[in-house]
Amino acid sequence: MAYKRIISLIMIICLSLSITACGTLDMMVGLKQENNPDTTDFANLTDFEIVEDTIGEEIVEEPVIETVTVDPEQAKVTDILAYFEDENGFVVPVNTKIDWEEGIAKATLRSMVAGSETEKKLAGSGLHGVLPEGTEIRGMAIKDGLCRVDFTKNILNTSSYEQEENMISAITYTLTEFPTIDKVELLVEGQALASLSKGYAINTAFERGNINLHGSRDGVNFTVYYKAPDTEVMGHYVPITFSASSLNNPVKNVLEKLFSGAPEETVLSNNIPVGINLRGVDIVSDTAVVNLGVGAVNLSEEEYRDMNAIVVLCLEQYGISDVEFNIEGVSFEEAGLHFDDGVMPAFNQY
């Protein structure tokens, strides 16, 4: 009997422990559910980022790709070649940048107006706009190589006949830089005028020719580039047109004029050291072989670069893309001169 009582006591104890354990487990499950909502419900996960599970996988770092950030404003500019006037009264070609827009020819003309942002950018160079302040372009039409430009009446606010001549020359040379334009006609407020306010005739179409004329308009004229004195920024190249009865060898004629020096009454120079003489020039394909006198053996590298730059500019108009120099028929290398041409020269860059 005592044995049965012991067995019954053990069974009661086990049953009690089982009930207690089940209650504890139920309580723990309830706590977990209360503090951790069902993760299959995504309604409350909008602030979370879904990422790939990489647990147990090898993490490989992706290569860093360098990117170049382009300033949107820089992406909206374009290169132009426009003509301005310098402090000595010469019309000068200038390479610069302006904001891109449809109708870039009109935008280029606007850059040449006195007081424009482009003129301000040229401050210190001695160059200024050729169109009177406040001048606007009312319209422009191009057909069969003829460009007709209509200006507001501000274009009549000129101070002299010479200013008008330079203005027309600059407008003509600037617009004929565009391949679709060969000639230029001017209108003022929609009207075809006989002349500007100081008497310069505009009753005909204008073509390139005789920029900064030094001599007669008659004959076969040619252009030589010279160097203006340095300003606080830099010097610039000036085209001068000379008159000739004929040009049997244009390349030779231009170089002979260059090496003989700039016109005495000007402030210009030929950028060639004293004592360097021209012996002759031969054209081989698109290369000019320039033969110099024995004085060239004393050239410094800086003097050579200055000379090379202005010779190249003078000959580019004839399709010459390269220049080689000799000394009395001997190449510079054979004469012991080894110069680096450096950056190819370009019209005045601002």
Side-chain angles (χ1 to χ4, degrees):
M1 181 64 78
Y3 176 77
K4 290 183 179 179
R5 289 178 180 175
I6 292 172
I7 295 298
S8 298
L9 181 61
I10 292 173
M11 291 180 64
I12 292 170
I13 292 172
C14 289
L15 180 61
S16 175
L17 288 173
S18 174
I19 295 172
T20 302
C22 289
T24 303
L25 180 61
D26 289 342
M27 181 181 69
M28 291 179 64
V29 171
L31 288 173
K32 182 177 180 181
Q33 290 177 340
E34 181 180 346
N35 294 299
N36 295 278
D38 188 355
T39 55
T40 61
D41 180 8
F42 291 99
N44 296 322
L45 297 179
T46 54
D47 293 332
F48 290 82
E49 179 182 5
I50 298 175
V51 297
E52 293 182 0
D53 183 8
T54 56
I55 297 175
E57 297 179 2
E58 180 181 359
I59 299 177
V60 179
E61 293 185 2
E62 293 292 331
V64 177
I65 301 175
E66 295 184 1
T67 58
V68 178
T69 302
V70 178
D71 186 346
E73 295 303 318
Q74 292 294 324
K76 296 179 182 179
V77 299
T78 185
D79 295 304
I80 61 166
L81 177 58
Y83 286 73
F84 292 77
E85 188 178 61
D86 73 3
E87 56 191 1
N88 300 304
F90 294 116
V91 178
V92 177
V94 173
N95 282 297
T96 188
K97 296 179 182 295
I98 62 172
D99 291 337
W100 164 258
E101 62 179 80
E102 292 294 335
I104 195 63
K106 288 190 289 185
T108 301
L109 286 182
R110 286 197 295 271
S111 75
M112 297 159 56
V113 175
S116 69
E117 289 302 314
T118 302
E119 186 191 58
K120 294 175 183 177
K121 186 168 64 174
L122 299 178
S125 66
L127 302 172
H128 57 268
V130 295
L131 292 165
E133 189 172 359
T135 301
E136 297 179 6
I137 295 88
R138 299 177 71 244
M140 177 182 291
I142 303 172
K143 183 179 180 180
D144 298 330
L146 175 64
C147 178
R148 181 171 292 163
V149 191
D150 187 12
F151 292 95
T152 58
K153 61 183 180 181
N154 298 70
I155 198 173
L156 300 175
N157 297 334
T158 51
S159 60
S160 66
Y161 182 91
E162 289 72 24
Q163 182 191 352
E164 292 179 345
E165 183 176 26
N166 278 354
M167 178 176 67
I168 297 303
S169 182
I171 292 172
T172 303
Y173 269 75
T174 296
L175 290 178
T176 53
E177 290 290 344
F178 293 93
T180 57
I181 300 175
D182 301 316
K183 298 180 180 180
V184 179
E185 283 185 355
L186 273 66
L187 301 177
V188 180
E189 299 289 348
Q191 302 297 314
L193 303 183
S195 65
L196 297 173
S197 60
K198 297 302 184 288
Y200 193 86
I202 59 170
N203 59 348
T204 186
F206 297 98
E207 300 180 68
R208 294 174 75 95
N210 299 329
I211 188 171
N212 299 318
L213 180 64
H214 187 86
S216 172
R217 294 182 179 276
D218 302 325
V220 183
N221 293 352
F222 61 97
T223 303
V224 181
Y225 286 87
Y226 295 99
K227 185 74 178 296
D230 287 348
T231 63
E232 61 182 87
V233 179
M234 67 179 78
H236 52 264
Y237 296 104
V238 177
I240 301 291
T241 301
F242 296 95
S243 55
S245 57
S246 63
L247 290 177
N248 297 325
N249 187 339
V251 171
K252 181 180 179 182
N253 294 139
V254 166
L255 288 189
E256 286 177 343
K257 197 69 175 178
L258 173 66
F259 276 80
S260 66
E264 292 183 359
E265 66 274 21
T266 70
V267 297
L268 307 175
S269 69
N270 63 1
N271 231 28
I272 297 173
V274 176
I276 307 299
N277 302 314
L278 178 69
R279 290 285 189 260
V281 57
D282 295 313
I283 305 301
V284 180
S285 185
D286 58 355
T287 298
V289 181
V290 180
N291 193 26
L292 305 176
V294 69
V297 296
N298 297 315
L299 278 171
S300 68
E301 183 152 355
E302 182 179 0
E303 290 172 334
Y304 165 74
R305 289 189 180 184
D306 288 343
M307 178 184 69
N308 180 61
I310 204 162
V311 168
V312 169
L313 287 179
C314 285
L315 297 187
E316 279 184 339
Q317 59 188 307
Y318 300 111
I320 304 297
S321 61
D322 194 17
V323 176
E324 294 179 4
F325 291 95
N326 288 344
I327 301 176
E328 300 291 354
V330 176
S331 70
F332 269 26
E333 289 75 15
E334 292 173 322
L337 299 178
H338 302 278
F339 297 133
D340 180 8
D341 290 339
V343 178
M344 287 300 292
F347 284 131
N348 315 301
Q349 193 84 34
Y350 291 99

